[in-house]
Amino acid sequence: MADVNFNATKSRASDDAETGNADGTQEPPKLHYELIELLFFAYRDFISDPDAILTEYGFGRAHHRVLHFVSRNPGIRVTELLDILKITKQSLGRVLKQLVDEGFIDQRTGLQDRRQRLLYPTAKGEKLSHELSIPQSLRLEKALSELPEDGRAIAREFLFHIIDDAERPHVARLASKP
């Protein structure tokens, strides 16, 4: 994915520090192929239903992500959205222009700071965002219903701990909204 901003050097350095032995030699990290593959296949299927809906509109996954976070955070600043998605301004610009031009998102100037661009979903955008969330919610509900009683809490905790430590407080605020 060309538009993702990721600091590979930082990750490799922190991984090396975690795999060092007391004598200074490096121990190879344990490779979790089963979980890696399960996450891959889970994501593939989790996104397949929205992908089919998005195709009807000529949209892709980037449109879905933008529409999701704008719908969940009406009035979000473009800079905040860039921070959440970890994409370039150029990548967001293309997707956002299409969503604005086709009436899914309304872009407004900030009242206190005219340089700010605030994003709001239109009724059309809210409707599509909701339509995209339904099959994903049904898939999650089915999976959670097949787990023990505390399965939701365990799944949430597991996913939360995959997120980089520095990002967790920000993600916790975003993900805690009903």
Side-chain angles (χ1 to χ4, degrees):
M1 194 181 330
D3 61 355
V4 174
N5 299 327
F6 177 71
N7 187 343
T9 308
K10 177 189 143 283
S11 292
R12 275 192 230 112
S14 62
D15 289 348
D16 289 347
E18 292 173 12
T19 59
N21 291 326
D23 64 1
T25 61
Q26 294 297 313
E27 185 177 307
K30 180 178 180 180
L31 300 176
H32 297 277
Y33 287 126
E34 179 186 22
L35 291 175
I36 291 168
E37 290 168 1
L38 286 172
L39 279 169
F40 169 80
F41 290 117
Y43 179 73
R44 179 199 65 189
D45 293 349
F46 179 73
I47 202 68
S48 66
D49 297 318
D51 279 353
I53 296 167
L54 290 162
T55 300
E56 297 171 20
Y57 293 87
F59 292 163
R61 291 180 183 168
H63 296 85
H64 184 187
R65 289 188 286 266
V66 169
L67 192 56
H68 173 85
F69 284 105
V70 171
S71 293
R72 297 274 295 145
N73 304 279
I76 189 169
R77 292 187 327 263
V78 168
T79 54
E80 290 176 286
L81 188 57
L82 286 167
D83 187 48
I84 290 169
L85 298 176
K86 303 289 186 215
I87 60 174
T88 64
K89 261 193 219 183
Q90 184 178 3
S91 295
L92 177 60
R94 283 191 311 266
V95 169
L96 191 54
K97 181 178 178 354
Q98 190 175 9
L99 289 168
V100 168
D101 288 350
E102 295 189 26
F104 291 92
I105 289 179
D106 185 28
Q107 185 172 265
R108 303 177 196 163
T109 303
L111 294 175
Q112 286 81 20
D113 185 347
R114 309 274 305 150
R115 295 171 297 178
Q116 286 183 337
R117 291 188 304 156
L118 308 178
L119 305 174
Y120 294 87
T122 63
K124 184 177 175 180
E126 281 285 348
K127 183 177 182 244
L128 179 55
S129 180
H130 185 76
E131 184 181 351
L132 295 169
S133 295
I134 289 172
Q136 291 182 317
S137 294
L138 291 171
R139 187 177 291 274
L140 289 171
E141 189 59 39
K142 180 182 181 301
L144 290 169
S145 73
E146 295 174 9
L147 295 177
E149 189 174 319
D150 61 345
R152 179 186 181 92
I154 291 169
R156 186 182 189 290
E157 192 75 10
F158 173 76
L159 292 172
F160 189 71
H161 283 282
I162 291 176
I163 298 164
D164 287 343
D165 292 348
E167 291 289 322
R168 289 181 191 166
H170 186 225
V171 170
R173 284 189 301 275
L174 286 169
S176 66
K177 295 179 183 179

